[in-house]
Every structure is written in C-alpha cells, then in structure tokens.
Amino acid sequence: MKTFEVRIYVPDNKTERWYVYIYNLQTRRICKKFYKGINTTDDRDERMLRCEQFKLAIEAEIRTGWQPDGVQTVKTTVMPFADALEFALSKKAVSEKTRSDYSCTLRFVRKAIKSLRLSQLSIHNCERIHVKTVMDYLEKKHKWKGKNYNKHMSCLSSLFTELVEWDLIKTNPVRDIRARYEEKTEGYIQPTDKQHKKIFARLKEVDYHYYIFCSIEYYLGIRPKEILRRPRSV
C-alpha cells in the first residue's frame, strides 16, 4: 500500500512561498516541506519546473526505501555542535574548491570546540556567544587578520544557514556578528613602458622560449594553462 505522496503547493497569494511536500496518506498529514531553491526566481514557469524536478528527485529517494518521517526525527535528535556543522556540509551542493574551504574552517572549529570544552554543546542550544567564543579563540591562537577571520566566519554562516534549512536550528547565530576590519593592500603595480621593455629584453637574453611564453600571455591575455594546452607545430 502506498504510504507517501509527493505534491507541489502553488499558493494563490503571490507573497506566499511555493514548496514541494511529502504527504502521509495514512495519517493524512504533511510530514515534510521543501523550499530550497524554488523561490529564488519570480518566473512562475521556472518555479514550476524546479518544483517538478524536486518532486521527481524526492519520489526517486522514496522508491529506494528512504523514509521521510525519519527526516523529521533529525530535529529532535541531540546533535552536538561540531557534528551538526559536519552534517550541514554533507548536505551542501558546492564545488570541490568550496567544499575544501568549508572543510578547512571545520577543522579549525572542531579543534577549538574541543579546547574550549564545548564538545557536549547541542546545536539546539548553540547561540551567538558560543560562535563568538570559538572564533575569538581561533583569531588569537592563529593570529588571524580581518580577512582570514571574515572568510572563516562566512563559511560558518553558510553552514548555519543550511542547518536552518533542515530545521535543526531556528535562526542563524552568525547573522548579526559584525565582520572584522580588513586592511587594504595594494595590488600588483604594472611596470612602466620603459621597465617593460627592459624586463622583456632581459628575458629574451636569458631564456628565449620563456620570453615567447611570457609575450603570448602578456599581449594576448591567455592563461598559462591554456598556452601549454595549445598543440605544437612540428
């Protein structure tokens, strides 16, 4: 007997959010709603397309044996602070580079949580003061500058947003934490025409092939990897 049915909610009121939901046919109750990524566009056709794709994906998960009621139990599970952040990362659809950045932040945070004896802190009880305590500890220990501090705080904020999406916490405690001041650094200074001619003349004397390589990159704006991938003439 069929237990769950995946449906799409399209409100008449334009201010309401669309969502895909799982309906329990036995209890006649909605057991899970999904909003993520649906309402970021105002185009109704695009929203419906996203809902349909979401619906198909959820139906496929249910067919594999996944129990949507089990998702609801996540909310009542006592999940430690650090484990919850790991859970959030596992649910994020990001590039490998971004995932690596998040993982780096989590390694710092997990060590700080252990050092500050916050390992038993439940994510439900995690507040702004705990996040500030962890980040201030890391800032002093690693002598972070404003840019480093803000980068790791941004990663944390994104993970907490994911936890809000999964209904593990009500609000993002990082949201109202002020960013650190970032010192402005000068970018690369372009050489003058006279300096440029002198540099390239010296390159030509020292290594002609490298001179050609740099000339192509400089004048044509081609990235080094793209130059190396170009086929060589025999």
Side-chain angles (χ1 to χ4, degrees):
M1 180 180 177
K2 187 177 180 182
T3 305
F4 302 108
E5 190 173 272
V6 185
R7 302 175 179 177
I8 298 171
Y9 175 71
V10 180
D12 294 327
N13 188 339
K14 292 183 179 180
T15 61
E16 284 189 66
R17 293 192 298 170
W18 294 30
Y19 58 84
V20 177
Y21 64 96
I22 301 175
Y23 186 76
N24 190 319
L25 297 172
Q26 295 180 355
T27 62
R28 296 184 180 181
R29 295 181 62 183
I30 295 175
C31 54
K32 188 66 181 177
K33 296 179 182 179
F34 301 87
Y35 296 90
K36 191 172 182 179
I38 296 173
N39 299 283
T40 55
T41 177
D42 293 327
D43 188 290
R44 291 179 63 86
D45 292 336
E46 178 63 25
R47 282 193 185 186
M48 182 55 72
L49 178 61
R50 294 179 184 183
C51 285
E52 291 289 354
Q53 291 173 339
F54 217 149
K55 180 175 180 289
L56 289 173
I58 297 169
E59 288 173 341
E61 286 293 314
I62 292 175
R63 284 196 296 272
T64 64
W66 174 68
Q67 292 292 321
D69 282 343
V71 178
Q72 291 293 84
T73 61
V74 173
K75 184 177 179 180
T76 58
T77 300
V78 178
M79 189 178 292
F81 182 9
D83 291 349
L85 294 176
E86 293 284 0
F87 170 81
L89 178 56
S90 72
K91 298 301 179 183
K92 290 193 73 68
V94 293
S95 67
E96 286 302 316
K97 173 62 172 63
T98 302
R99 187 172 297 279
S100 177
D101 291 340
Y102 284 139
S103 296
C104 177
T105 297
L106 282 182
R107 283 194 295 272
F108 280 121
V109 171
R110 187 175 279 280
K111 289 179 181 178
I113 288 173
K114 184 177 181 180
S115 298
L116 295 168
R117 298 182 179 180
L118 294 173
S119 299
Q120 300 305 313
L121 176 67
S122 167
I123 191 62
H124 304 103
N125 297 320
C126 181
E127 298 178 357
R128 191 177 307 145
I129 187 173
H130 300 116
V131 179
K132 281 282 293 179
T133 300
V134 167
M135 292 302 291
D136 286 0
Y137 169 84
L138 289 170
E139 182 182 29
K140 292 175 183 177
K141 181 177 181 180
H142 298 286
K143 298 179 180 179
W144 283 347
K145 293 185 178 180
K147 186 175 182 180
N148 301 110
Y149 181 94
N150 293 338
K151 177 184 176 182
H152 290 296
M153 188 66 85
S154 177
C155 287
L156 268 185
S157 181
S158 180
L159 293 175
F160 273 108
T161 298
E162 190 71 23
L163 293 176
V164 172
E165 190 75 32
W166 280 87
D167 209 19
L168 281 172
I169 53 176
K170 293 297 182 184
T171 59
N172 185 343
V174 181
R175 185 180 56 191
D176 295 321
I177 296 178
R178 289 193 299 271
R180 289 286 194 265
Y181 171 76
E182 295 186 18
E183 295 181 3
K184 294 182 179 180
T185 56
E186 291 187 7
Y188 294 110
I189 300 174
Q190 292 283 351
T192 63
D193 288 340
K194 185 177 181 181
Q195 291 171 332
H196 174 260
K197 290 178 181 178
K198 190 174 182 179
I199 292 169
F200 272 65
R202 180 58 179 163
L203 277 176
K204 191 173 182 179
E205 292 175 5
V206 175
D207 190 327
Y208 182 76
H209 295 291
Y210 188 57
Y211 158 75
I212 296 297
F213 180 90
C214 291
S215 296
I216 294 173
E217 183 183 6
Y218 183 83
Y219 290 110
L220 300 182
I222 301 176
R223 297 184 182 91
K225 288 184 178 180
E226 293 174 347
I227 298 174
L228 295 174
R229 284 200 297 265
R230 292 178 66 84
R232 296 181 181 180
S233 58
V234 180

